[in-house]
């Protein structure tokens, strides 16, 4: 079964940068979407950045201009470079993937089949 393995994250001061990475194992699909959600306390997960197998990217407004999502050619591995981090970015971040097609735009969590274990990002003032 496909699994998503996350790495990265941690603590940083406001204005700093962190990078998250995610690799899918036992993953085989010609068209897919991978990306990152984060959990707002007491609410559903919200999309942060998504990338399709063809390289099309979608960003949440809160991430636009500060975060960069990228993928490795030929491998189901994605990275999220987070710059100019703010206290509001303090959340648990989850990698996600779907094998059933491309995202094309931001999607809700119901669109995705697989989730990583989550990694905490903490931004101090």
């Amino acid at each position: 079964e496909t699994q998503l393995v996350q790495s990265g994250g941690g603590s940083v001061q406001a204005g700093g940068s962190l990078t998250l990475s995610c690799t899918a194992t036992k993953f085989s699909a010609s068209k897919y979407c991978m990306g990152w959600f984060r959990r707002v306390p007491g609410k559903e997960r919200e999309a942060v950045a998504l990338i399709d197998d063809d390289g099309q990217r979608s960003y949440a407004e809160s991430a636009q201009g500060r975060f960069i999502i990228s993928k490795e050619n030929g491998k189901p591995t994605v990275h999220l470079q987070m710059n100019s981090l703010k206290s509001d970015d303090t959340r648990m971040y989850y990698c996600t993937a779907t094998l059933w097609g491309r995202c094309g735009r931001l999607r809700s969590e119901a669109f995705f089949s697989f989730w990583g274990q989550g990694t905490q990002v903490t931004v101090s003032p």
Side-chain angles (χ1 to χ4, degrees):
E1 181 176 313
T2 296
Q3 292 186 328
L4 302 182
V5 180
Q6 298 180 215
S7 61
S11 299
V12 68
Q13 288 189 320
S17 299
L18 286 172
T19 298
L20 306 179
S21 298
C22 174
T23 296
T25 64
K26 300 180 181 178
F27 187 96
S28 178
S30 59
K31 295 181 180 180
Y32 62 86
C33 176
M34 295 182 69
W36 299 90
F37 277 64
R38 64 187 186 185
R39 185 181 295 280
V40 178
K43 297 184 179 180
E44 291 185 351
R45 285 178 284 208
E46 61 180 13
V48 177
L50 303 172
I51 188 167
D52 290 332
D53 63 281
D54 64 357
Q56 181 174 347
R57 297 168 171 83
S58 303
Y59 292 98
E61 186 174 340
S62 60
Q64 193 77 41
R66 298 189 300 129
F67 295 1
I68 301 171
I69 189 169
S70 62
K71 66 179 185 70
E72 296 187 16
N73 289 335
K75 297 171 59 177
T77 298
V78 295
H79 307 285
L80 184 66
Q81 181 180 338
M82 303 183 291
N83 302 313
S84 302
L85 284 162
K86 308 174 183 178
S87 297
D88 285 349
D89 295 317
T90 296
R91 300 281 188 269
M92 185 73 79
Y93 286 72
Y94 297 88
C95 178
T96 189
T98 181
L99 304 180
W100 313 123
R102 296 168 178 158
C103 287
R105 57 178 174 84
L106 286 183
R107 300 283 183 171
S108 69
E109 61 178 312
F111 187 81
F112 297 90
S113 307
F114 305 101
W115 295 91
Q117 75 274 23
T119 186
Q120 179 68 35
V121 170
T122 302
V123 184
S124 58

